[in-house]
Amino acid sequence: MKKIDVMRINESVEFLKSGVVDYEFRTTLCKELHGREEIEAIGKWLSGAKRYFLQNYRESDYVIDPRFSGYAREQLERFCEILRGKIETVEIRGVD
């Protein structure tokens, strides 16, 4: 597996947060990969960002790995509360 250069990603995040161009950050969340600890780490990393969207994972016949599952709206709202105060606008996408 190829190693990812995280420094380049961090540089991109900092550039976007500087406000030179309009942007938004987003993460597609699934229960098997994301929990409170990951959300808190993302909040710390993106602190000061303008917009961040939590997208719920959606099951589909076309997914690569069918073992993943999405969250209920209530849990996504709790994640939003963790992030508010660190990020200007935090909203949810992909939940009916």
Side-chain angles (χ1 to χ4, degrees):
M1 187 161 102
K2 186 176 179 180
K3 185 173 171 89
I4 297 172
D5 185 356
V6 177
M7 288 301 298
R8 305 261 334 224
I9 296 169
N10 285 330
E11 288 173 10
S12 296
V13 166
E14 292 307 314
F15 172 76
L16 291 170
K17 285 172 36 178
S18 76
V20 174
V21 297
D22 196 28
Y23 69 93
E24 70 180 42
F25 293 110
R26 59 184 177 261
T27 302
T28 300
L29 300 177
C30 66
K31 291 179 186 179
E32 295 75 15
L33 299 176
H34 307 99
R36 182 180 183 93
E37 186 176 313
E38 288 76 21
I39 296 301
E40 288 173 347
I42 289 169
K44 183 177 178 181
W45 183 39
L46 297 181
S47 182
K50 191 191 266 186
R51 283 186 305 276
Y52 181 59
F53 292 88
L54 301 178
Q55 298 179 155
N56 201 30
Y57 175 84
R58 290 186 181 187
E59 295 179 30
S60 161
D61 292 337
Y62 304 103
V63 297
I64 294 171
D65 192 337
R67 68 185 161 146
F68 296 130
S69 58
Y71 278 104
R73 175 175 276 286
E74 296 78 27
Q75 182 59 51
L76 294 172
E77 290 290 350
R78 287 192 286 275
F79 288 156
C80 285
E81 290 306 313
I82 293 169
L83 297 166
R84 290 190 178 116
K86 296 176 181 69
I87 300 169
E88 187 177 325
T89 300
V90 180
E91 296 181 19
I92 297 170
R93 287 186 178 148
V95 177
D96 300 323

